[in-house]
Amino acid sequence: MKKSLFALALSAFALGAAEFVMMGILPQTAHAMKVSIPVAGNFISSYAIGVCVGTLILVFGRKIPPKRLIIIFIALIIVGNLLSALSVNAPMLIVSRFIAGLPHGAFFGTATLIAKSVAEPGKETKAVSMMVTGQTLANMLGVPAGTLLAEHLTWRMTFASLCAWAAVALVLSLVWLPDVPAIADAGIGGQFAFLRRRAPWLILGAVFFGNAGIFCWWSYVSPWLIKVGGYASESIPTMMMLAGFGMVIGGLIGGNIADHWRHAGTASIGQILSAVGLLLVFLVPGTTLTTAILTFWISFGLFFVSSPQQILMVDAGKGGGELIGGAAVQVAFNLGNAVGSIIGGMSLTATSGNYHTPALSGIPMALLAVALLIIYSLRHETHTGALQRMKLIHLPAVGSKPQQ
């Protein structure tokens, strides 16, 4: 892995861990802040709101070089998690989580642009998937580690460790990231001009509905593993590591295939895998083995689609909207997560706690995502650039030296 991609992956790890670790330490933070679990759910939603609002940083920072933007985003990661570690009451923690979420979408939009610029010709999607691997590794290692810190030391140490991690990423980014030129300044309105076309909305719709469908189930994966799979609560961190492993492998394979084939077509394959997995969650009675397999399976599909969709939106924004396009994927991702959690919860309530039904409620949305991706691929990828990318891979320009 190139040094620049490694530095970006470190930051992606901090963001991924900060986003998902709250699910594992919610009881400890609720107790410390003297609020109920439902109220503590605001510690999760405030981060998601920060992700959406933080996209505005790109609107007003369009003239700032990408490397400098990345440094600003990492500084926000440090500030947000430091304030979270020092929070003395629930309102302060909610605000701190909001700040921690601000750089999330903007970071991935900017990091995608840098990853593409340092990639070897024809391997842009693979480079993006390597950057995103930091986020998937956060689910595999960071979230379980953060949960263990909260259980055996204090939840504040979880956020403090994320500060330290981000500080290392800051130093390495200063040293290793190349000075990529700022994108063409199309003005505030020009950054959103690409959204006047239908094609980007097909991708954003696929991201939203795909994640909403999966998060109908994923939001309640821990009690599903316990009640359906028969796992003890002490085994959940191990199962989260298995899920994270699936995300890592899915992300890398999806990125590699997309470099040799259609991007939306590749993403549709991953989405189909997830939809089939959700159907099996509903149909299969459930054992320790089958729930473990399905946890890996759906997690694999969840991030198989990540880098192809990220690349599609950055390409859609060419001409001044590249950063907004990349960030919009993360906004749609988080909005889908929130909606999926609500719908999954409603299905649980309606069926008196039947943990098979959240997956059923997510299947229609997952299939809608498949349809949107197939429509995009047939309409906009008929003359795919895969052959050209293959030529670039096997016949690189003589004397070309990609950036580090």
Side-chain angles (χ1 to χ4, degrees):
M1 180 183 290
K2 294 182 178 180
K3 293 179 180 179
S4 52
L5 292 177
F6 181 73
L8 292 173
L10 283 179
S11 299
F13 183 100
L15 285 167
E19 180 180 21
F20 288 104
V21 76
M22 184 56 77
M23 285 80 159
I25 65 174
L26 201 62
Q28 293 92 335
T29 54
H31 181 265
M33 299 294 104
K34 297 181 173 60
V35 296
S36 65
I37 292 293
V39 172
N42 291 316
F43 304 153
I44 298 173
S45 58
S46 60
Y47 187 98
I49 294 171
V51 174
C52 299
V53 174
T55 306
L56 295 175
I57 299 174
L58 297 178
V59 175
F60 299 104
R62 63 188 185 279
K63 297 180 181 180
I64 301 175
K67 178 177 179 178
R68 192 176 303 173
L69 282 172
I70 291 293
I71 299 305
I72 294 172
F73 300 150
I74 299 175
L76 283 172
I77 297 172
I78 294 172
V79 171
N81 285 289
L82 179 61
L83 290 174
S84 297
L86 299 175
S87 293
V88 295
N89 53 44
M92 181 177 177
L93 185 53
I94 289 173
V95 172
S96 301
R97 290 284 293 165
F98 172 82
I99 295 172
L102 285 174
H104 192 109
F107 170 86
F108 281 101
T110 308
T112 298
L113 188 67
I114 295 177
K116 283 188 64 179
S117 72
V118 303
E120 296 177 7
K123 297 185 178 181
E124 292 85 357
T125 313
K126 183 178 180 180
V128 173
S129 70
M130 293 177 74
M131 178 271 292
V132 175
T133 297
Q135 186 181 23
T136 56
L137 281 173
N139 285 279
M140 178 179 174
L141 302 174
V143 172
T147 303
L148 290 174
L149 281 174
E151 289 181 356
H152 298 288
L153 295 175
T154 169
W155 62 271
R156 298 181 188 276
M157 185 61 69
T158 300
F159 291 114
S161 64
L162 289 176
C163 287
W165 186 281
V168 173
L170 179 64
V171 173
L172 295 182
S173 295
L174 283 168
V175 176
W176 287 344
L177 290 187
D179 292 315
V180 178
I183 62 172
D185 183 12
I188 293 179
Q191 293 181 89
F192 297 92
F194 72 98
L195 292 175
R196 296 172 189 162
R197 303 192 301 271
R198 294 180 181 179
W201 290 105
L202 291 173
I203 299 302
L204 291 176
V207 175
F208 172 80
F209 288 111
N211 282 281
I214 292 173
F215 270 76
C216 285
W217 163 78
W218 177 256
S219 300
Y220 307 95
V221 65
S222 293
W224 173 75
L225 286 167
I226 293 171
K227 296 182 179 296
V228 176
Y231 286 93
S233 59
E234 294 81 7
S235 301
I236 299 304
T238 302
M239 296 306 297
M240 292 302 97
M241 291 181 67
L242 176 64
F245 181 63
M247 294 175 187
V248 172
I249 301 301
L252 292 174
I253 293 178
N256 190 54
I257 292 176
D259 271 332
H260 296 80
W261 195 52
R262 304 179 180 190
H263 292 147
T266 300
S268 68
I269 293 174
Q271 198 60 61
I272 289 171
L273 289 173
S274 296
V276 171
L278 291 174
L279 179 61
L280 291 175
V281 168
F282 174 69
L283 294 177
V284 176
T287 64
T288 52
L289 178 60
T290 58
T291 51
I293 292 173
L294 290 173
T295 297
F296 176 88
W297 182 331
I298 300 176
S299 300
F300 178 95
L302 177 62
F303 273 86
F304 186 97
V305 306
S306 183
S307 55
Q309 291 177 155
Q310 196 80 34
I311 285 283
L312 281 169
M313 284 303 295
V314 171
D315 288 345
K318 282 182 178 177
E322 293 93 335
L323 298 182
I324 296 297
V329 173
Q330 296 299 319
V331 173
F333 184 97
N334 279 271
L335 287 176
N337 298 353
V339 171
S341 178
I342 294 171
I343 294 176
M346 291 172 62
S347 69
L348 274 177
T349 301
T351 58
S352 301
N354 183 340
Y355 281 93
H356 291 278
T357 56
L360 178 64
S361 65
I363 292 173
M365 289 182 285
L367 291 176
L368 178 55
V370 172
L372 291 173
L373 289 167
I374 291 176
I375 291 171
Y376 181 97
S377 186
L378 292 177
R379 289 185 177 180
H380 304 284
E381 294 185 312
T382 302
H383 302 290
T384 175
L387 290 177
Q388 180 61 26
R389 292 197 297 273
M390 285 290 287
K391 290 178 182 178
L392 290 171
I393 291 172
H394 297 295
L395 297 172
V398 177
S400 61
K401 293 183 178 180
Q403 299 182 60
Q404 294 297 312

